């Protein structure tokens, strides 16, 4: 998965966020313990793109602020999101 930050402004709005992948739908603002989550902080991805590899199945994806910033600064902005999947088993033989 690749998450691209905006390059016209607000580059920092794609930092201090959780990116979560789950087989079950998310509900509410609390991140479920069963989801596979990765954290993006300002130091982890200093370039315009954050590349994440979950190496698991998932149908639902959530990008959420960590909630530590003041409310006025919690906006999450991204320019583009690319999600890639590897088909396995019977899915790979479909035509």
């Amino acid at each position: 998965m690749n998450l691209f930050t905006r390059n016209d402004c607000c580059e920092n709005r794609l930092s201090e966020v959780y990116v979560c992948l789950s087989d079950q739908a998310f509900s509410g603002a609390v991140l479920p313990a069963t989801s596979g989550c990765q954290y993006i902080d300002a130091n982890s991805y200093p370039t315009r793109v954050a590349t994440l590899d979950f190496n698991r199945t998932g149908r639902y994806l959530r990008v959420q602020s960590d909630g530590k910033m003041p409310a006025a600064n919690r906006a999450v902005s991204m320019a583009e999101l690319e999600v890639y999947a590897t088909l396995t088993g019977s899915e790979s033989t479909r035509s």
Side-chain angles (χ1 to χ4, degrees):
M1 169 187 325
N2 294 319
L3 287 92
F4 295 86
T5 188
R6 294 175 54 170
N7 60 6
D8 58 343
C9 77
C10 320
E11 293 89 355
N12 63 334
R13 289 188 180 171
L14 193 56
S15 64
E16 322 311 333
V17 298
Y18 287 98
V19 181
C20 302
L21 181 67
S22 176
D23 292 315
Q24 305 298 319
F26 297 102
S27 63
V30 178
L31 299 173
T34 58
S35 67
C37 293
Q38 294 188 34
Y39 187 69
I40 299 176
D41 65 22
N43 298 319
S44 297
Y45 299 96
T47 62
R48 203 178 144 255
V49 60
T51 301
L52 305 172
D53 184 6
F54 283 92
N55 197 27
R56 61 164 289 163
T57 62
R59 181 176 181 187
Y60 300 93
L61 178 71
R62 175 184 271 187
V63 179
Q64 176 177 325
S65 169
D66 68 1
K68 295 177 184 175
M69 300 287 284
N73 298 329
R74 284 191 199 153
V76 175
S77 298
M78 70 182 83
E80 185 176 349
L81 171 66
E82 298 174 340
V83 178
Y84 301 95
T86 302
L87 299 178
T88 60
S90 62
E91 293 176 351
S92 62
T93 60
R94 291 183 187 169
S95 53

